[in-house]
Amino acid sequence: MESGPAIFAGAAFTLFGGALLLWTTVRTLHREPVAHGVAPRAAVALTSLFGLASLALGIWCFGRV
């Protein structure tokens, strides 16, 4: 019963983190801005950091099942 919410949260965080990292990588490789009005290095660093954090949180949620 308690594993249902953990599986849902793990899937949501993992999908979001993976998609954010993929989107950041594609935008960077095409030399397009990751965030408008922000320095390119700062935008890539912050989105990568939050993508990795979300991915790690999703993996942690799956580990709690």
Side-chain angles (χ1 to χ4, degrees):
M1 182 84 173
E2 293 177 0
S3 64
I7 292 171
F8 176 76
F13 281 122
T14 304
L15 285 173
F16 175 74
L20 185 60
L21 288 173
L22 178 67
W23 180 79
T24 303
T25 303
V26 169
R27 296 287 289 190
T28 303
L29 289 176
H30 288 164
R31 306 244 186 235
E32 295 176 359
V34 175
H36 294 287
V38 180
R41 288 186 185 189
V44 169
L46 286 175
T47 55
S48 297
L49 177 72
F50 283 110
L52 287 173
S54 180
L55 199 59
L57 187 59
I59 292 170
W60 179 79
C61 286
F62 282 132
R64 302 293 294 173
V65 175

